C-alpha cells in the first residue's frame, strides 16, 4: 500500500497517510465487514519506519476479526435474552457506521500530538479533545469552508509503548462503529465532584455538564456491554463508578426516556447491589439494552461543541 503525504486533520502537521482503508479491511473481513466503521484512515509520522506501518496494517484485520467475533457472540446473547430482536440490534450496531470516521495515528512517540488547548476550541479551525482518562484517544475536528465541522474518532498508542490491540483497536473500533463519542461529551475534563449525578434531586436540576456526562456514559457502557470489558470500580463500569451514581443515572434516564427500558435495568442493577459482572451476567445485558437504544439519538449531535438540551434524547 503506497503512502501519500498529507496533513494531520487536527494540527496540520505533515504526515503520511494510507488514504481510505475501508476497502482493504472489508476485503479481509468479508463475513464481518458490516461491523466496520465506514471510514478508516491511518496517519503516520514520517519518522515511523514503513515496515512498522506495513506490519500494523497486516495485523489490523486479524485483531478486528477477533473483536468482531466477540461482538457477534454478545449480540446473540442480547437476542437470546429477548432484550432485542435480531433486526433491532443489527440496526443499532450497523446503522450509524458513517457518523464518526476513525483516524488511527501512528505518532513517533505515541499520543495524539495535540497543540496547546484553547479555552475556546469552537473558535479554532481544527483541533482535538483528548479523553480525560486515556489522552491517546480523543475526538478531533476540522471546520470546513461552510463552517460545518468534520469530526473523527482519533486513536493513537500511549506515549512510549506499542499499540494496545484491546484498548486502542478493540475498544475504539466499537466507538467508531456504533457508539460515537460526541465532541461536547469528550471534553469532560470535569471534576466528578461537580458533575456527579447522585448529587441532584430531580432531572430538571441536571446541569448541562451533567447531561454531557450522561451522554458520555451511554457511549461507554454500550461499548463495554458489547465487549465484556470489566472496569476496576465499585460498579465494574466506567464513568458511573459508584452504585449511587449508577442508580441516579438510570432513574434520570428512565424519566427522560420511559419507553426504552431503563426501569428494568435499574431493577436488575439493584438486585446485585450495583456491582455488575460485565463479563457474563444477565445484569450487564439488561443494562446494555436501553443504553444502546439511546445511541441513534446521540448520533445526531456528535459534531456539536455546545452541550445540547434534553431534547437530544427524545425520539
Amino acid at each position: 500500500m503506497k503512502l501519500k503525504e498529507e496533513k494531520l486533520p487536527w494540527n496540520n502537521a505533515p504526515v503520511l497517510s494510507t488514504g481510505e482503508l475501508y476497502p482493504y479491511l472489508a476485503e479481509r473481513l468479508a463475513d464481518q465487514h458490516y461491523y466496520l466503521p465506514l471510514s478508516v484512515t491511518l496517519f503516520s509520522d514520517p519518522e515511523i519506519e514503513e515496515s512498522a506501518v506495513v506490519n500494523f496494517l497486516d495485523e489490523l484485520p486479524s485483531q478486528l476479526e477477533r473483536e468482531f467475533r466477540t461482538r457477534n457472540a454478545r449480540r446473540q446473547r442480547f437476542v437470546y435474552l429477548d432484550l432485542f430482536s435480531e433486526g433491532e440490534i443489527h440496526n443499532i450496531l450497523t446503522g450509524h457506521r458513517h457518523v464518526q470516521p476513525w483516524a488511527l495515528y501512528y505518532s513517533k512517540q505515541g499520543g495524539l500530538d495535540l497543540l496547546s488547548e484553547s479555552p475556546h476550541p469552537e473558535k479554532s479551525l481544527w483541533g482535538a479533545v483528548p479523553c480525560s482518562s486515556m489522552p491517546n484517544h480523543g475526538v478531533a475536528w476540522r471546520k470546513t469552508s461552510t463552517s460545518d465541522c468534520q469530526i473523527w474518532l482519533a486513536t493513537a498508542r500511549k506515549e512510549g509503548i506499542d499499540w494496545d490491540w484491546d484498548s486502542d483497536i478493540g475498544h475504539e473500533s466499537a466507538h467508531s462503529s456504533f457508539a460515537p463519542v460526541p465532541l461536547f461529551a469528550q471534553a469532560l475534563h470535569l471534576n466528578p465532584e461537580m458533575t456527579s449525578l447522585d448529587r441532584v434531586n430531580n432531572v430538571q436540576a441536571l446541569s448541562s455538564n451533567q447531561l454531557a456526562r450522561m451522554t458520555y456514559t451511554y457511549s461507554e457502557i454500550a461499548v463495554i456491554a458489547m465487549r465484556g470489558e470489566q472496569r476496576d470500580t465499585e460498579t465494574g463500569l466506567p464513568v458511573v463508578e459508584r452504585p449511587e451514581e449508577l442508580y441516579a443515572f438510570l432513574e434520570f434516564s428512565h424519566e427522560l426516556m420511559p419507553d426504552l427500558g431503563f426501569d428494568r435495568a435499574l431493577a436488575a442493577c439493584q438486585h446485585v447491589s450495583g456491582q455488575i459482572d460485565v463479563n457474563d451476567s444477565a445484569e450487564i445485558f439488561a443494562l446494555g439494552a436501553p443504553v444502546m437504544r439511546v445511541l441513534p439519538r446521540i448520533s445526531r449531535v456528535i459534531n456539536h461543541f455546545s452541550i445540547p438540551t434534553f431534547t437530544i434524547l427524545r425520539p
Side-chain angles (χ1 to χ4, degrees):
M1 183 176 295
K2 185 173 177 59
L3 302 177
K4 60 182 180 180
E5 295 182 357
E6 205 167 309
K7 299 291 187 182
L8 194 63
W10 55 89
N11 71 3
N12 241 24
V15 290
L16 298 175
S17 170
T18 60
E20 181 55 66
L21 283 173
Y22 179 83
Y24 165 81
L25 295 171
E27 181 181 356
R28 286 154 181 79
L29 295 162
D31 295 335
Q32 300 169 314
H33 66 91
Y34 46 81
Y35 285 138
L36 285 167
L38 285 184
S39 178
V40 184
T41 306
L42 175 66
F43 301 97
S44 68
D45 282 339
E47 294 85 353
I48 299 296
E49 295 279 349
E50 184 175 345
S51 59
V53 175
V54 170
N55 289 339
F56 177 84
L57 291 174
D58 284 346
E59 182 66 18
L60 183 59
S62 62
Q63 293 293 335
L64 288 170
E65 182 180 26
R66 178 174 59 85
E67 178 68 22
F68 295 164
R69 284 200 303 268
T70 298
R71 196 174 301 177
N72 200 50
R74 293 181 77 89
R75 164 183 172 160
Q76 292 172 3
R77 183 81 180 275
F78 274 108
V79 174
Y80 173 78
L81 293 171
D82 203 27
L83 294 166
F84 284 116
S85 68
E86 182 60 52
E88 183 183 11
I89 195 168
H90 179 79
N91 288 339
I92 290 172
L93 292 176
T94 67
H96 296 84
R97 295 182 295 145
H98 61 289
V99 301
Q100 192 160 48
W102 193 16
L104 293 159
Y105 177 36
Y106 206 146
S107 53
K108 58 186 176 183
Q109 295 177 337
L112 292 173
D113 192 17
L114 301 175
L115 301 176
S116 58
E117 292 187 39
S118 168
H120 303 288
E122 68 279 1
K123 297 181 180 179
S124 302
L125 294 178
W126 58 72
V129 182
C131 173
S132 57
S133 61
M134 193 73 68
N136 54 310
H137 300 166
V139 178
W141 79 90
R142 191 177 187 92
K143 291 182 179 176
T144 67
S145 57
T146 61
S147 297
D148 290 333
C149 201
Q150 169 67 56
I151 72 168
W152 294 263
L153 188 77
T155 305
R157 59 200 173 106
K158 286 184 178 179
E159 291 189 15
I161 65 173
D162 205 352
W163 290 92
D164 182 324
W165 292 109
D166 184 68
S167 173
D168 300 333
I169 302 304
H171 184 94
E172 291 288 275
S173 72
H175 275 304
S176 188
S177 297
F178 66 89
V181 181
L183 192 53
F184 68 83
Q186 183 66 81
L188 281 177
H189 297 282
L190 303 172
N191 183 349
E193 294 299 315
M194 300 292 290
T195 59
S196 294
L197 301 174
D198 57 322
R199 298 177 182 274
V200 180
N201 293 325
N202 60 76
V203 71
Q204 298 302 324
L206 288 170
S207 68
S208 59
N209 284 338
Q210 287 165 328
L211 179 58
R213 184 180 180 88
M214 289 180 65
T215 306
Y216 186 63
T217 303
Y218 297 128
S219 182
E220 283 295 321
I221 289 182
V223 169
I224 64 100
M226 286 303 301
R227 301 192 73 234
E229 187 180 316
Q230 191 81 28
R231 297 296 179 87
D232 186 20
T233 64
E234 291 182 45
T235 60
L237 303 169
V239 192
V240 283
E241 299 181 354
R242 296 174 292 104
E244 295 78 14
E245 188 170 22
L246 172 60
Y247 299 157
F249 165 72
L250 293 172
E251 288 169 356
F252 293 145
S253 296
H254 177 61
E255 189 169 347
L256 290 168
M257 299 167 285
D259 56 323
L260 298 191
F262 281 103
D263 52 342
R264 295 187 294 275
L266 175 61
C269 292
Q270 289 176 327
H271 179 70
V272 292
S273 301
Q275 299 172 353
I276 314 300
D277 175 3
V278 171
N279 292 318
D280 193 40
S281 69
E283 288 76 26
I284 186 56
F285 293 96
L287 172 60
V291 163
M292 290 173 64
R293 289 188 175 103
V294 182
L295 300 179
R297 305 178 186 188
I298 294 173
S299 294
R300 302 181 301 213
V301 294
I302 62 168
N303 62 345
H304 289 198
F305 278 102
S306 58
I307 300 170
T309 65
F310 294 124
T311 57
I312 68 166
L313 302 178
R314 304 300 186 195

